[in-house]
Amino acid sequence: MKLKVDYFDNLLYLDNENILVIEIENKSYFYKFVSDLFLISNGGISDNIIIFNNQNEEISLKLKVIIDYFNFDFKKNNTDLTKYLSENISVEDKTTLINLYNKLVKNYNKILNKFDIPFDIINDFDISNITKVFKVNINQKNDLLDNLILIFEIEKNIKNTKILVLINLKQYLTKEELLELYKYSLYIGLIIILVDSQSYGVTLKYEKKLIVDENLDEFMI
């Protein structure tokens, strides 16, 4: 895939073999680019950014931007998690749950029949209801790298995100942690883009880098 940004001279390439890193030292351009990315991630359309497939056809992909590494609210994923579990629980496991659910309904009906009021149970079995009853949630980790890997799994498998943009991530991870994160994203096939407001010089393994300096000169390394 290719990413065309109107105010960049270089065409940016996205694939499952390299990590695209964009380091923008010019503050106004950094803000402009991140704002455009947020617009797309929130379902809007940016006139400045276009994504093309390998056949040079304009495409629309699900993109998410992460900028806050201190507040991972995994509870926001509950709706997507419920849908994911409902669609992916095996037929055998669903049968087991249906049998257990029917036994529970039968026993609960016996209890309700002891009352004078004619209670009734709407017996519509659905996996999503079971998930809600047991309050299935995703547990946050204590380490930033572990949380990021967890987010990768969620975005790839549950939310079906195609591109994940990480803002100023290099401020928080070591070189070794970055390389581990790169390898994992490439392994699961999730395309990630790192966008930083300063330049970190030479590329790390797996990186393809665009540097935009204060004078808007561009360097591809």
Side-chain angles (χ1 to χ4, degrees):
M1 289 183 292
K2 289 170 282 190
L3 188 69
K4 184 180 183 299
V5 183
D6 280 351
Y7 38 87
F8 291 163
D9 295 331
N10 285 272
L11 194 62
L12 305 173
Y13 292 86
L14 305 171
D15 56 51
N16 292 318
E17 297 180 358
N18 298 282
I19 306 297
L20 176 61
V21 177
I22 305 170
E23 298 175 349
I24 309 172
E25 295 179 307
N26 185 285
K27 296 185 184 302
S28 63
Y29 263 56
F30 172 80
Y31 181 82
K32 184 178 183 180
F33 184 52
V34 174
S35 296
D36 279 329
L37 293 172
F38 265 113
L39 176 61
I40 296 171
S41 71
N42 290 325
I45 298 175
S46 171
D47 295 330
N48 298 316
I49 298 177
I50 303 175
I51 302 175
F52 296 95
N53 62 19
N54 293 331
Q55 288 73 44
N56 290 320
E57 299 167 332
E58 185 176 344
I59 57 175
S60 176
L61 293 178
K62 191 171 183 181
L63 177 149
K64 180 173 181 177
V65 180
I66 296 179
I67 196 168
D68 184 359
Y69 303 102
F70 299 93
N71 183 31
F72 294 109
D73 188 1
F74 292 111
K75 291 183 180 179
K76 291 181 180 178
N77 297 294
N78 278 355
T79 300
D80 294 306
L81 174 61
T82 299
K83 180 180 178 183
Y84 173 78
L85 291 174
S86 298
E87 293 175 349
N88 290 278
I89 290 179
S90 69
V91 174
E92 181 181 353
D93 287 336
K94 283 184 179 179
T95 301
T96 300
L97 289 174
I98 289 172
N99 292 335
L100 291 172
Y101 180 77
N102 287 335
K103 289 180 181 178
L104 176 63
V105 169
K106 184 178 180 180
N107 288 327
Y108 195 46
N109 259 324
K110 290 180 180 179
I111 295 172
L112 294 178
N113 289 334
K114 296 177 181 179
F115 293 87
D116 294 331
I117 300 172
F119 291 112
D120 192 19
I121 296 176
I122 301 175
N123 189 11
D124 291 332
F125 175 82
D126 191 290
I127 292 295
S128 62
N129 293 335
I130 298 295
T131 303
K132 292 173 184 177
V133 166
F134 284 99
K135 296 182 180 179
V136 178
N137 198 15
I138 299 172
N139 292 324
Q140 182 171 334
K141 306 291 185 178
N142 295 320
D143 179 77
L144 174 56
L145 180 61
D146 291 337
N147 276 321
L148 289 170
I149 288 175
L150 180 55
I151 286 174
F152 284 13
E153 287 287 351
I154 294 170
E155 296 300 328
K156 175 69 177 179
N157 297 303
I158 297 179
K159 305 192 78 171
N160 200 30
T161 298
K162 301 299 182 183
I163 302 175
L164 192 62
V165 183
L166 305 161
I167 309 297
N168 282 331
L169 178 62
K170 289 191 175 183
Q171 293 183 9
Y172 306 103
L173 294 183
T174 65
K175 175 183 175 181
E176 291 73 24
E177 289 172 329
L178 282 169
L179 290 175
E180 184 175 344
L181 200 67
Y182 290 170
K183 286 189 290 185
Y184 192 76
S185 69
L186 295 172
Y187 172 73
I188 66 173
L190 176 66
I191 293 176
I192 65 172
I193 302 173
L194 269 66
V195 180
D196 286 275
S197 57
Q198 66 185 86
S199 175
Y200 289 87
V202 298
T203 58
L204 300 179
K205 187 178 180 181
Y206 308 114
E207 287 186 348
K208 279 189 176 180
K209 181 182 294 190
L210 170 66
I211 298 175
V212 182
D213 69 12
E214 184 64 40
N215 299 316
L216 303 182
D217 292 323
E218 298 183 15
F219 307 90
M220 287 292 300
I221 57 176

PDB file of all heavy atoms in Angstrom, residues 103-113 121:
ATOM      1  N   LYS A 103     -30.604 -25.641  31.774  1.00  0.00           N
ATOM      2  CA  LYS A 103     -30.732 -26.159  33.136  1.00  0.00           C
ATOM      3  C   LYS A 103     -30.943 -25.017  34.122  1.00  0.00           C
ATOM      4  O   LYS A 103     -31.753 -25.120  35.061  1.00  0.00           O
ATOM      5  CB  LYS A 103     -29.474 -26.943  33.515  1.00  0.00           C
ATOM      6  CG  LYS A 103     -29.336 -28.281  32.795  1.00  0.00           C
ATOM      7  CD  LYS A 103     -28.052 -28.992  33.219  1.00  0.00           C
ATOM      8  CE  LYS A 103     -27.904 -30.325  32.480  1.00  0.00           C
ATOM      9  NZ  LYS A 103     -26.637 -31.011  32.848  1.00  0.00           N
ATOM     10  N   LEU A 104     -30.224 -23.912  33.916  1.00  0.00           N
ATOM     11  CA  LEU A 104     -30.377 -22.751  34.784  1.00  0.00           C
ATOM     12  C   LEU A 104     -31.789 -22.179  34.671  1.00  0.00           C
ATOM     13  O   LEU A 104     -32.415 -21.836  35.690  1.00  0.00           O
ATOM     14  CB  LEU A 104     -29.342 -21.690  34.401  1.00  0.00           C
ATOM     15  CG  LEU A 104     -29.417 -20.366  35.145  1.00  0.00           C
ATOM     16  CD1 LEU A 104     -29.163 -20.596  36.637  1.00  0.00           C
ATOM     17  CD2 LEU A 104     -28.399 -19.372  34.596  1.00  0.00           C
ATOM     18  N   VAL A 105     -32.301 -22.074  33.445  1.00  0.00           N
ATOM     19  CA  VAL A 105     -33.655 -21.554  33.223  1.00  0.00           C
ATOM     20  C   VAL A 105     -34.690 -22.442  33.913  1.00  0.00           C
ATOM     21  O   VAL A 105     -35.636 -21.960  34.553  1.00  0.00           O
ATOM     22  CB  VAL A 105     -33.950 -21.448  31.706  1.00  0.00           C
ATOM     23  CG1 VAL A 105     -35.433 -21.159  31.475  1.00  0.00           C
ATOM     24  CG2 VAL A 105     -33.090 -20.360  31.081  1.00  0.00           C
ATOM     25  N   LYS A 106     -34.516 -23.754  33.786  1.00  0.00           N
ATOM     26  CA  LYS A 106     -35.443 -24.710  34.405  1.00  0.00           C
ATOM     27  C   LYS A 106     -35.480 -24.551  35.921  1.00  0.00           C
ATOM     28  O   LYS A 106     -36.552 -24.518  36.541  1.00  0.00           O
ATOM     29  CB  LYS A 106     -35.033 -26.136  34.034  1.00  0.00           C
ATOM     30  CG  LYS A 106     -35.974 -27.206  34.537  1.00  0.00           C
ATOM     31  CD  LYS A 106     -35.521 -28.592  34.079  1.00  0.00           C
ATOM     32  CE  LYS A 106     -36.466 -29.665  34.595  1.00  0.00           C
ATOM     33  NZ  LYS A 106     -36.029 -31.029  34.148  1.00  0.00           N
ATOM     34  N   ASN A 107     -34.295 -24.428  36.523  1.00  0.00           N
ATOM     35  CA  ASN A 107     -34.212 -24.271  37.980  1.00  0.00           C
ATOM     36  C   ASN A 107     -34.770 -22.918  38.426  1.00  0.00           C
ATOM     37  O   ASN A 107     -35.444 -22.832  39.469  1.00  0.00           O
ATOM     38  CB  ASN A 107     -32.765 -24.412  38.444  1.00  0.00           C
ATOM     39  CG  ASN A 107     -32.264 -25.845  38.369  1.00  0.00           C
ATOM     40  OD1 ASN A 107     -33.030 -26.785  38.566  1.00  0.00           O
ATOM     41  ND2 ASN A 107     -30.988 -26.029  38.084  1.00  0.00           N
ATOM     42  N   TYR A 108     -34.514 -21.903  37.643  1.00  0.00           N
ATOM     43  CA  TYR A 108     -35.011 -20.569  38.003  1.00  0.00           C
ATOM     44  C   TYR A 108     -36.537 -20.517  37.875  1.00  0.00           C
ATOM     45  O   TYR A 108     -37.216 -19.853  38.657  1.00  0.00           O
ATOM     46  CB  TYR A 108     -34.356 -19.516  37.124  1.00  0.00           C
ATOM     47  CG  TYR A 108     -34.521 -18.105  37.638  1.00  0.00           C
ATOM     48  CD1 TYR A 108     -34.308 -17.809  38.977  1.00  0.00           C
ATOM     49  CD2 TYR A 108     -34.888 -17.064  36.779  1.00  0.00           C
ATOM     50  CE1 TYR A 108     -34.448 -16.526  39.461  1.00  0.00           C
ATOM     51  CE2 TYR A 108     -35.034 -15.774  37.251  1.00  0.00           C
ATOM     52  CZ  TYR A 108     -34.819 -15.505  38.586  1.00  0.00           C
ATOM     53  OH  TYR A 108     -34.965 -14.237  39.069  1.00  0.00           O
ATOM     54  N   ASN A 109     -37.081 -21.237  36.891  1.00  0.00           N
ATOM     55  CA  ASN A 109     -38.533 -21.303  36.734  1.00  0.00           C
ATOM     56  C   ASN A 109     -39.194 -21.934  37.953  1.00  0.00           C
ATOM     57  O   ASN A 109     -40.291 -21.528  38.383  1.00  0.00           O
ATOM     58  CB  ASN A 109     -38.894 -22.104  35.477  1.00  0.00           C
ATOM     59  CG  ASN A 109     -39.261 -21.193  34.319  1.00  0.00           C
ATOM     60  OD1 ASN A 109     -39.875 -20.148  34.511  1.00  0.00           O
ATOM     61  ND2 ASN A 109     -38.876 -21.594  33.120  1.00  0.00           N
ATOM     62  N   LYS A 110     -38.552 -22.951  38.519  1.00  0.00           N
ATOM     63  CA  LYS A 110     -39.080 -23.594  39.719  1.00  0.00           C
ATOM     64  C   LYS A 110     -39.180 -22.594  40.866  1.00  0.00           C
ATOM     65  O   LYS A 110     -40.129 -22.608  41.649  1.00  0.00           O
ATOM     66  CB  LYS A 110     -38.190 -24.768  40.123  1.00  0.00           C
ATOM     67  CG  LYS A 110     -38.263 -25.967  39.178  1.00  0.00           C
ATOM     68  CD  LYS A 110     -37.343 -27.083  39.664  1.00  0.00           C
ATOM     69  CE  LYS A 110     -37.397 -28.295  38.726  1.00  0.00           C
ATOM     70  NZ  LYS A 110     -36.479 -29.381  39.169  1.00  0.00           N
ATOM     71  N   ILE A 111     -38.173 -21.736  40.956  1.00  0.00           N
ATOM     72  CA  ILE A 111     -38.179 -20.713  42.013  1.00  0.00           C
ATOM     73  C   ILE A 111     -39.291 -19.700  41.766  1.00  0.00           C
ATOM     74  O   ILE A 111     -40.027 -19.307  42.676  1.00  0.00           O
ATOM     75  CB  ILE A 111     -36.811 -20.015  42.071  1.00  0.00           C
ATOM     76  CG1 ILE A 111     -35.725 -21.009  42.492  1.00  0.00           C
ATOM     77  CG2 ILE A 111     -36.840 -18.817  43.003  1.00  0.00           C
ATOM     78  CD1 ILE A 111     -34.312 -20.469  42.399  1.00  0.00           C
ATOM     79  N   LEU A 112     -39.454 -19.263  40.516  1.00  0.00           N
ATOM     80  CA  LEU A 112     -40.472 -18.271  40.178  1.00  0.00           C
ATOM     81  C   LEU A 112     -41.882 -18.801  40.415  1.00  0.00           C
ATOM     82  O   LEU A 112     -42.799 -18.039  40.764  1.00  0.00           O
ATOM     83  CB  LEU A 112     -40.315 -17.840  38.709  1.00  0.00           C
ATOM     84  CG  LEU A 112     -39.037 -17.070  38.354  1.00  0.00           C
ATOM     85  CD1 LEU A 112     -38.999 -16.758  36.860  1.00  0.00           C
ATOM     86  CD2 LEU A 112     -38.947 -15.773  39.159  1.00  0.00           C
ATOM     87  N   ASN A 113     -42.059 -20.096  40.222  1.00  0.00           N
ATOM     88  CA  ASN A 113     -43.389 -20.694  40.402  1.00  0.00           C
ATOM     89  C   ASN A 113     -43.855 -20.681  41.855  1.00  0.00           C
ATOM     90  O   ASN A 113     -45.041 -20.922  42.141  1.00  0.00           O
ATOM     91  CB  ASN A 113     -43.398 -22.132  39.865  1.00  0.00           C
ATOM     92  CG  ASN A 113     -43.334 -22.173  38.351  1.00  0.00           C
ATOM     93  OD1 ASN A 113     -43.753 -21.232  37.681  1.00  0.00           O
ATOM     94  ND2 ASN A 113     -42.798 -23.271  37.814  1.00  0.00           N
ATOM     95  N   ILE A 121     -40.087 -16.268  31.946  1.00  0.00           N
ATOM     96  CA  ILE A 121     -38.734 -16.018  31.444  1.00  0.00           C
ATOM     97  C   ILE A 121     -38.760 -15.994  29.921  1.00  0.00           C
ATOM     98  O   ILE A 121     -39.303 -16.910  29.292  1.00  0.00           O
ATOM     99  CB  ILE A 121     -37.754 -17.121  31.918  1.00  0.00           C
ATOM    100  CG1 ILE A 121     -37.619 -17.108  33.439  1.00  0.00           C
ATOM    101  CG2 ILE A 121     -36.380 -16.922  31.277  1.00  0.00           C
ATOM    102  CD1 ILE A 121     -36.749 -18.237  33.969  1.00  0.00           C
TER     103      ILE A 121
END
